[in-house]
Structure formats: structure tokens, C-alpha cells
Short mmCIF file of all heavy atoms in Angstrom, two decimals:
data_model
loop_
_atom_site.label_atom_id
_atom_site.label_comp_id
_atom_site.label_asym_id
_atom_site.label_seq_id
_atom_site.Cartn_x
_atom_site.Cartn_y
_atom_site.Cartn_z
N PHE A 1 -25.73 0.65 -14.54
CA PHE A 1 -24.33 1.03 -14.65
C PHE A 1 -24.17 2.28 -15.51
O PHE A 1 -23.48 3.23 -15.14
CB PHE A 1 -23.53 -0.12 -15.27
CG PHE A 1 -22.07 0.17 -15.44
CD1 PHE A 1 -21.18 -0.03 -14.40
CD2 PHE A 1 -21.57 0.67 -16.65
CE1 PHE A 1 -19.82 0.24 -14.55
CE2 PHE A 1 -20.22 0.95 -16.81
CZ PHE A 1 -19.34 0.73 -15.76
N ASN A 2 -24.82 2.31 -16.64
CA ASN A 2 -24.69 3.43 -17.58
C ASN A 2 -25.24 4.72 -16.99
O ASN A 2 -24.68 5.79 -17.22
CB ASN A 2 -25.43 3.10 -18.88
CG ASN A 2 -25.09 4.04 -20.00
OD1 ASN A 2 -23.93 4.43 -20.17
ND2 ASN A 2 -26.08 4.42 -20.78
N SER A 3 -26.31 4.64 -16.22
CA SER A 3 -26.91 5.85 -15.65
C SER A 3 -26.05 6.45 -14.55
O SER A 3 -26.16 7.63 -14.24
CB SER A 3 -28.30 5.54 -15.09
OG SER A 3 -28.22 4.69 -13.96
N LYS A 4 -25.17 5.64 -13.95
CA LYS A 4 -24.35 6.13 -12.85
C LYS A 4 -22.97 6.60 -13.28
O LYS A 4 -22.27 7.26 -12.51
CB LYS A 4 -24.19 5.04 -11.77
CG LYS A 4 -25.49 4.73 -11.05
CD LYS A 4 -25.28 3.66 -10.01
CE LYS A 4 -26.59 3.36 -9.30
NZ LYS A 4 -27.10 4.51 -8.53
N VAL A 5 -22.58 6.31 -14.50
CA VAL A 5 -21.22 6.64 -14.94
C VAL A 5 -20.96 8.14 -14.83
O VAL A 5 -19.92 8.58 -14.36
CB VAL A 5 -21.00 6.17 -16.39
CG1 VAL A 5 -19.72 6.78 -16.97
CG2 VAL A 5 -20.90 4.66 -16.43
N ASP A 6 -21.94 8.96 -15.25
CA ASP A 6 -21.74 10.39 -15.23
C ASP A 6 -22.08 11.03 -13.89
O ASP A 6 -21.94 12.23 -13.72
CB ASP A 6 -22.60 11.06 -16.33
CG ASP A 6 -22.16 10.63 -17.72
OD1 ASP A 6 -20.96 10.35 -17.88
OD2 ASP A 6 -23.01 10.57 -18.63
N GLN A 7 -22.51 10.21 -12.92
CA GLN A 7 -22.89 10.75 -11.63
C GLN A 7 -21.89 10.38 -10.54
O GLN A 7 -22.13 10.63 -9.38
CB GLN A 7 -24.27 10.22 -11.23
CG GLN A 7 -25.38 10.53 -12.23
CD GLN A 7 -26.68 9.86 -11.86
OE1 GLN A 7 -26.89 9.45 -10.72
NE2 GLN A 7 -27.57 9.71 -12.82
N CYS A 8 -20.76 9.82 -10.95
CA CYS A 8 -19.78 9.31 -9.98
C CYS A 8 -20.47 8.43 -8.94
O CYS A 8 -20.26 8.55 -7.75
CB CYS A 8 -19.02 10.46 -9.30
SG CYS A 8 -17.52 9.92 -8.47
N PHE A 9 -21.40 7.56 -9.42
CA PHE A 9 -22.09 6.59 -8.59
C PHE A 9 -23.02 7.23 -7.56
O PHE A 9 -23.21 6.73 -6.47
CB PHE A 9 -21.11 5.64 -7.91
CG PHE A 9 -20.31 4.85 -8.88
CD1 PHE A 9 -19.06 5.28 -9.27
CD2 PHE A 9 -20.82 3.70 -9.43
CE1 PHE A 9 -18.33 4.56 -10.20
CE2 PHE A 9 -20.09 2.97 -10.34
CZ PHE A 9 -18.84 3.40 -10.73
N GLY A 10 -23.59 8.37 -7.92
CA GLY A 10 -24.63 8.95 -7.08
C GLY A 10 -24.06 9.73 -5.90
O GLY A 10 -22.96 10.26 -5.94
N GLU A 11 -24.85 9.81 -4.80
CA GLU A 11 -24.50 10.67 -3.67
C GLU A 11 -23.29 10.13 -2.90
O GLU A 11 -22.51 10.91 -2.34
CB GLU A 11 -25.70 10.81 -2.74
CG GLU A 11 -26.89 11.52 -3.40
CD GLU A 11 -28.08 11.63 -2.48
OE1 GLU A 11 -27.96 11.16 -1.32
OE2 GLU A 11 -29.11 12.18 -2.89
N LEU A 12 -23.15 8.83 -2.80
CA LEU A 12 -22.01 8.25 -2.10
C LEU A 12 -20.84 8.19 -3.08
O LEU A 12 -20.88 7.44 -4.06
CB LEU A 12 -22.38 6.85 -1.60
CG LEU A 12 -21.45 6.19 -0.59
CD1 LEU A 12 -22.18 5.09 0.17
CD2 LEU A 12 -20.23 5.59 -1.26
N GLU A 13 -19.81 8.98 -2.82
CA GLU A 13 -18.70 9.08 -3.76
C GLU A 13 -17.89 7.79 -3.76
O GLU A 13 -17.43 7.33 -2.72
CB GLU A 13 -17.79 10.25 -3.40
CG GLU A 13 -16.65 10.43 -4.40
CD GLU A 13 -15.73 11.58 -4.05
OE1 GLU A 13 -15.81 12.08 -2.91
OE2 GLU A 13 -14.93 11.97 -4.91
N VAL A 14 -17.73 7.24 -4.94
CA VAL A 14 -16.93 6.03 -5.11
C VAL A 14 -15.81 6.34 -6.08
O VAL A 14 -16.04 6.74 -7.21
CB VAL A 14 -17.79 4.86 -5.64
CG1 VAL A 14 -16.91 3.65 -5.91
CG2 VAL A 14 -18.87 4.50 -4.63
N LEU A 15 -14.58 6.14 -5.63
CA LEU A 15 -13.40 6.35 -6.46
C LEU A 15 -12.97 5.03 -7.09
O LEU A 15 -13.31 3.95 -6.58
CB LEU A 15 -12.27 6.92 -5.60
CG LEU A 15 -12.58 8.23 -4.86
CD1 LEU A 15 -11.41 8.62 -3.96
CD2 LEU A 15 -12.92 9.35 -5.83
N PRO A 16 -12.22 5.10 -8.19
CA PRO A 16 -11.76 3.86 -8.82
C PRO A 16 -11.07 2.91 -7.85
O PRO A 16 -11.26 1.69 -7.93
CB PRO A 16 -10.81 4.36 -9.91
CG PRO A 16 -11.35 5.71 -10.27
CD PRO A 16 -11.84 6.29 -8.99
N VAL A 17 -10.29 3.44 -6.93
CA VAL A 17 -9.55 2.59 -5.99
C VAL A 17 -10.50 1.80 -5.09
O VAL A 17 -10.14 0.73 -4.58
CB VAL A 17 -8.56 3.43 -5.16
CG1 VAL A 17 -9.27 4.32 -4.15
CG2 VAL A 17 -7.51 2.56 -4.50
N HIS A 18 -11.70 2.32 -4.87
CA HIS A 18 -12.66 1.60 -4.04
C HIS A 18 -13.12 0.29 -4.69
O HIS A 18 -13.65 -0.58 -4.00
CB HIS A 18 -13.88 2.48 -3.77
CG HIS A 18 -13.59 3.66 -2.90
ND1 HIS A 18 -14.25 4.87 -3.02
CD2 HIS A 18 -12.68 3.83 -1.90
CE1 HIS A 18 -13.78 5.72 -2.14
NE2 HIS A 18 -12.84 5.12 -1.44
N ALA A 19 -12.93 0.17 -5.99
CA ALA A 19 -13.30 -1.07 -6.67
C ALA A 19 -12.52 -2.25 -6.12
O ALA A 19 -13.01 -3.39 -6.14
CB ALA A 19 -13.08 -0.93 -8.18
N ILE A 20 -11.31 -2.00 -5.62
CA ILE A 20 -10.54 -3.08 -4.97
C ILE A 20 -11.32 -3.59 -3.77
O ILE A 20 -11.49 -4.80 -3.58
CB ILE A 20 -9.15 -2.56 -4.54
CG1 ILE A 20 -8.33 -2.17 -5.77
CG2 ILE A 20 -8.43 -3.62 -3.71
CD1 ILE A 20 -7.00 -1.50 -5.42
N GLY A 21 -11.80 -2.66 -2.95
CA GLY A 21 -12.59 -3.05 -1.78
C GLY A 21 -13.87 -3.75 -2.17
O GLY A 21 -14.30 -4.69 -1.50
N ALA A 22 -14.48 -3.30 -3.27
CA ALA A 22 -15.73 -3.92 -3.72
C ALA A 22 -15.51 -5.36 -4.14
O ALA A 22 -16.33 -6.24 -3.83
CB ALA A 22 -16.32 -3.12 -4.88
N VAL A 23 -14.42 -5.63 -4.83
CA VAL A 23 -14.10 -7.02 -5.22
C VAL A 23 -13.94 -7.88 -3.97
O VAL A 23 -14.49 -8.99 -3.89
CB VAL A 23 -12.82 -7.06 -6.08
CG1 VAL A 23 -12.37 -8.51 -6.29
CG2 VAL A 23 -13.05 -6.39 -7.43
N ASN A 24 -13.21 -7.37 -3.00
CA ASN A 24 -12.98 -8.15 -1.78
C ASN A 24 -14.26 -8.38 -0.99
O ASN A 24 -14.46 -9.46 -0.41
CB ASN A 24 -11.92 -7.46 -0.92
CG ASN A 24 -10.55 -7.48 -1.57
OD1 ASN A 24 -10.26 -8.34 -2.41
ND2 ASN A 24 -9.68 -6.55 -1.20
N LEU A 25 -15.13 -7.36 -0.94
CA LEU A 25 -16.42 -7.52 -0.25
C LEU A 25 -17.29 -8.54 -0.98
O LEU A 25 -18.01 -9.32 -0.34
CB LEU A 25 -17.13 -6.17 -0.15
CG LEU A 25 -16.53 -5.14 0.80
CD1 LEU A 25 -17.30 -3.83 0.70
CD2 LEU A 25 -16.52 -5.65 2.24
N ALA A 26 -17.25 -8.51 -2.30
CA ALA A 26 -18.02 -9.48 -3.08
C ALA A 26 -17.57 -10.90 -2.78
O ALA A 26 -18.38 -11.82 -2.66
CB ALA A 26 -17.89 -9.17 -4.56
N ARG A 27 -16.25 -11.09 -2.66
CA ARG A 27 -15.72 -12.42 -2.33
C ARG A 27 -16.12 -12.82 -0.91
O ARG A 27 -16.51 -13.96 -0.66
CB ARG A 27 -14.20 -12.40 -2.45
CG ARG A 27 -13.68 -12.20 -3.87
CD ARG A 27 -14.13 -13.31 -4.78
NE ARG A 27 -13.48 -13.23 -6.10
CZ ARG A 27 -13.84 -13.96 -7.14
NH1 ARG A 27 -14.84 -14.83 -7.03
NH2 ARG A 27 -13.21 -13.84 -8.30
N LEU A 28 -16.04 -11.87 0.02
CA LEU A 28 -16.34 -12.16 1.43
C LEU A 28 -17.79 -12.57 1.61
O LEU A 28 -18.08 -13.53 2.34
CB LEU A 28 -16.05 -10.92 2.28
CG LEU A 28 -16.42 -11.01 3.76
CD1 LEU A 28 -15.50 -11.99 4.48
CD2 LEU A 28 -16.36 -9.62 4.42
N THR A 29 -18.70 -11.88 0.93
CA THR A 29 -20.13 -12.09 1.15
C THR A 29 -20.77 -13.01 0.13
O THR A 29 -21.98 -13.26 0.20
CB THR A 29 -20.86 -10.73 1.12
OG1 THR A 29 -20.69 -10.12 -0.17
CG2 THR A 29 -20.34 -9.80 2.20
N GLY A 30 -20.00 -13.51 -0.83
CA GLY A 30 -20.57 -14.38 -1.85
C GLY A 30 -21.56 -13.65 -2.74
O GLY A 30 -22.66 -14.14 -2.96
N THR A 31 -21.14 -12.49 -3.25
CA THR A 31 -22.00 -11.67 -4.10
C THR A 31 -21.33 -11.51 -5.46
O THR A 31 -20.77 -10.45 -5.79
CB THR A 31 -22.23 -10.28 -3.46
OG1 THR A 31 -22.57 -10.43 -2.08
CG2 THR A 31 -23.36 -9.53 -4.18
N PRO A 32 -21.37 -12.55 -6.30
CA PRO A 32 -20.61 -12.53 -7.56
C PRO A 32 -21.10 -11.49 -8.56
O PRO A 32 -20.34 -11.09 -9.45
CB PRO A 32 -20.80 -13.95 -8.11
CG PRO A 32 -22.05 -14.44 -7.47
CD PRO A 32 -22.08 -13.83 -6.11
N SER A 33 -22.35 -11.02 -8.45
CA SER A 33 -22.86 -10.05 -9.42
C SER A 33 -22.11 -8.72 -9.36
O SER A 33 -22.15 -7.94 -10.31
CB SER A 33 -24.35 -9.81 -9.20
OG SER A 33 -24.60 -9.16 -7.96
N VAL A 34 -21.42 -8.47 -8.25
CA VAL A 34 -20.64 -7.23 -8.10
C VAL A 34 -19.32 -7.31 -8.87
O VAL A 34 -18.77 -6.29 -9.29
CB VAL A 34 -20.38 -6.95 -6.60
CG1 VAL A 34 -19.31 -5.88 -6.39
CG2 VAL A 34 -21.68 -6.55 -5.91
#
């Protein structure tokens, strides 16, 4: 997590609003670590 903070999550651009989608995907797929 710390290494990606200054890289905007690497080559695939992730915006703060995408975190909403990430939460929903985690719920859908049963991936609580996300």
C-alpha cells in the first residue's frame, strides 16, 4: 500500500471514486482483504 501511494496505484490509473467499485467487487467475489 505504501509503495503505491505516490504512484497513483501504478500503471492502471485508479481514482478515489473507484474505491466504491472496489468495495462492491470485494463483496461480490468474497474478497474481504480488499
Side-chain angles (χ1 to χ4, degrees):
F1 180 85
N2 193 40
S3 68
K4 292 180 180 296
V5 167
D6 295 330
Q7 303 174 19
C8 196
F9 299 95
E11 296 179 1
L12 193 159
E13 183 181 14
V14 176
L15 303 175
V17 71
H18 292 148
I20 296 173
V23 171
N24 292 337
L25 290 176
R27 294 299 188 190
L28 175 69
T29 61
T31 313
S33 67
V34 166

